[in-house]
Amino acid sequence: MPADAELAARAIIESDRHGVEQLRELLLEERAALSARDAAQLEITVQQKLLCLQALDANEAQRRQLLARQHANDWPELLRGMDAALAKDWSMLLERLHEVAQLGEINERIVNRSSRTTSRMLALLRGQIAPVGVYDRSGRTHACGDNRPITSA
């Protein structure tokens, strides 16, 4: 295996490691901005996150190019053939990436919850809330509620 291919693989993994750590920090900043409802900070963080993701995508393209140059199909297998330590570094990077993906999912749930709450509040203000079902003594459900906009209540 050519030494330049191994150096290229090491550089890609190191760049990925830096990108994943940066993405992790940005996701934590994003969560803080979401919790504080700081729209200005959220916008800045999202822009930085997009740049970070673009860099990680560029690394993926470099990985594919290196695989093609080495006539290989499997990145972990290529790394094992170069150096077992490289394969281990890649495995550890994938674990960290999984943790970062979980942080992203948590932020997504926070955004979705906030969006649902905002939608409900706007509907309430507009008088567009569906009537709430309540049970009577016989156990049957009846619609209950005032659908007038809050400004006319």
Side-chain angles (χ1 to χ4, degrees):
M1 189 93 17
D4 62 329
E6 187 175 327
L7 287 174
R10 285 184 193 284
I12 292 169
I13 290 173
E14 186 56 36
S15 180
D16 277 339
R17 183 176 327 172
H18 174 73
V20 168
E21 287 305 317
Q22 183 181 14
L23 183 57
R24 180 185 178 281
E25 292 302 317
L26 288 169
L27 287 167
L28 292 172
E29 287 178 25
E30 181 181 59
R31 184 180 308 162
L34 286 168
S35 296
R37 299 185 188 270
D38 185 346
Q41 182 59 48
L42 185 61
E43 186 174 337
I44 292 167
T45 303
V46 168
Q47 291 302 319
Q48 291 173 336
K49 190 172 74 167
L50 290 174
L51 291 174
C52 184
L53 290 170
Q54 288 172 349
L56 289 169
D57 281 343
N59 289 349
E60 174 61 23
Q62 289 179 357
R63 249 189 311 282
R64 285 192 306 269
Q65 290 173 355
L66 184 56
L67 280 168
R69 284 196 310 269
Q70 297 302 310
H71 307 288
N73 295 320
D74 185 56
W75 181 252
E77 184 179 315
L78 178 65
L79 295 176
R80 279 190 296 276
M82 291 178 176
D83 182 0
L86 270 178
K88 184 176 181 187
D89 288 347
W90 178 251
S91 177
M92 290 170 38
L93 179 64
L94 290 180
E95 288 175 19
R96 189 62 161 177
L97 187 59
H98 179 71
E99 294 170 12
V100 168
Q102 288 176 331
L103 289 174
E105 289 170 8
I106 290 168
N107 288 1
E108 180 181 2
R109 286 194 300 264
I110 291 170
V111 167
N112 288 337
R113 185 183 66 215
S114 294
S115 177
R116 284 190 309 272
T117 300
T118 301
S119 294
R120 279 186 290 210
M121 292 297 120
L122 287 172
L124 175 65
L125 289 171
R126 294 179 185 136
Q128 298 171 338
I129 295 280
V132 177
V134 294
Y135 295 104
D136 63 13
R137 290 183 184 161
S138 65
R140 286 179 279 170
T141 306
H142 295 280
C144 178
D146 186 357
N147 285 338
R148 292 179 297 164
I150 201 161
T151 56
S152 66

